């Protein structure tokens, strides 16, 4: 931005040192993000924090904006080490292919231990665990009516179908 290459309104991420344009967010994306935020506010213990769409810089060649990042309280949000991330969530409205492909590879390579992609159209969640250099070793699809239990957050559960999603769509 300081060099005049980008404006403050440009939506890009830095993946492997390359600028990648981000998809536009629709009303359903925002409605799901708001419902998730309400659930997080009620469900997480005090020793954890979360932010939505923070500018996360996990290494020198990566800058991304996860829809939700859960991490230890009293940690600098933009510099949370990947190993300290309890859960990263992306809401895939117009970005499903990117979130399940590029983003999953980036998060796995960084060592993010659990990554969810919540598919807006079906409210299905694709749960990624066991990160490695070749991607996630365990991936499963969870229907909206089944309970999700983040592996690193004992006692925290979510049934996506129970979220109060208010959208214009």
């Amino acid at each position: 931005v300081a060099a005049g290459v980008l404006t403050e309104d440009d939506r890009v991420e830095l993946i492997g040192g390359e600028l990648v344009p981000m998809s536009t967010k629709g009303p359903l994306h925002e409605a799901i993000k708001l419902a998730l935020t309400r659930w997080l506010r009620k469900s997480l213990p005090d020793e954890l924090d979360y932010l939505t769409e923070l500018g996360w810089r996990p290494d020198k060649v990566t800058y991304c904006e996860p829809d939700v990042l859960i991490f230890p309280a009293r940690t600098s949000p933009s510099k949370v080490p990947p190993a300290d991330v309890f859960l990263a969530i992306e809401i895939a409205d117009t970005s499903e292919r990117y979130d399940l492909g590029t983003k999953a590879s980036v998060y796995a390579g960084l060592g993010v231990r659990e990554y969810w992609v919540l598919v807006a159209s079906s409210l299905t969640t694709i749960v990624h665990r066991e990160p490695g250099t070749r991607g996630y070793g365990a991936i499963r699809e969870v229907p909206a009516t089944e309970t999700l239990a983040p592996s690193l957050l004992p006692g925290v559960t979510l049934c996506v179908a129970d979220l109060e999603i208010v959208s214009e769509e």
Side-chain angles (χ1 to χ4, degrees):
V1 172
V5 176
L6 300 171
T7 70
E8 290 181 13
D9 296 327
D10 288 329
R11 293 184 30 83
V12 296
E13 292 182 313
L14 183 66
I15 306 295
E18 293 185 29
L19 290 174
V20 178
M22 294 173 62
S23 299
T24 11
K25 297 178 288 187
L28 183 56
H29 178 281
E30 296 303 290
I32 292 170
K33 185 175 70 176
L34 178 59
L36 271 175
T37 302
R38 283 193 208 109
W39 167 74
L40 288 163
R41 193 172 41 235
K42 296 174 189 174
S43 302
L44 290 183
D46 290 341
E47 61 269 10
L48 297 178
D49 277 333
Y50 69 91
L51 282 173
T52 60
E53 297 181 358
L54 79 151
W56 186 41
R57 296 165 186 85
D59 63 24
K60 292 182 181 187
V61 295
T62 308
Y63 168 86
C64 52
E65 294 183 6
D67 287 321
V68 176
L69 198 68
I70 300 171
F71 54 91
R74 292 169 295 287
T75 302
S76 171
S78 67
K79 296 181 181 177
V80 175
D84 288 355
V85 172
F86 285 85
L87 177 62
I89 303 172
E90 294 289 353
I91 301 162
D93 186 4
T94 59
S95 60
E96 186 173 347
R97 209 169 92 202
Y98 180 68
D99 292 338
L100 291 172
T102 302
K103 275 278 185 87
S105 293
V106 168
Y107 290 161
L110 289 167
V112 173
R113 296 170 288 173
E114 186 158 356
Y115 169 53
W116 293 358
V117 177
L118 200 161
V119 180
S121 60
S122 64
L123 297 182
T124 298
T125 302
I126 315 300
V127 176
H128 300 72
R129 293 182 177 149
E130 300 174 19
T133 55
R134 301 182 82 134
Y136 282 95
I139 301 171
R140 74 182 182 99
E141 191 170 312
V142 180
T145 55
E146 287 186 21
T147 300
L148 292 158
S151 62
L152 301 170
L153 303 172
V156 176
T157 60
L158 167 66
C159 180
V160 174
D162 294 340
L163 289 175
E164 295 179 30
I165 300 169
V166 181
S167 177
E168 298 170 11
E169 293 186 359

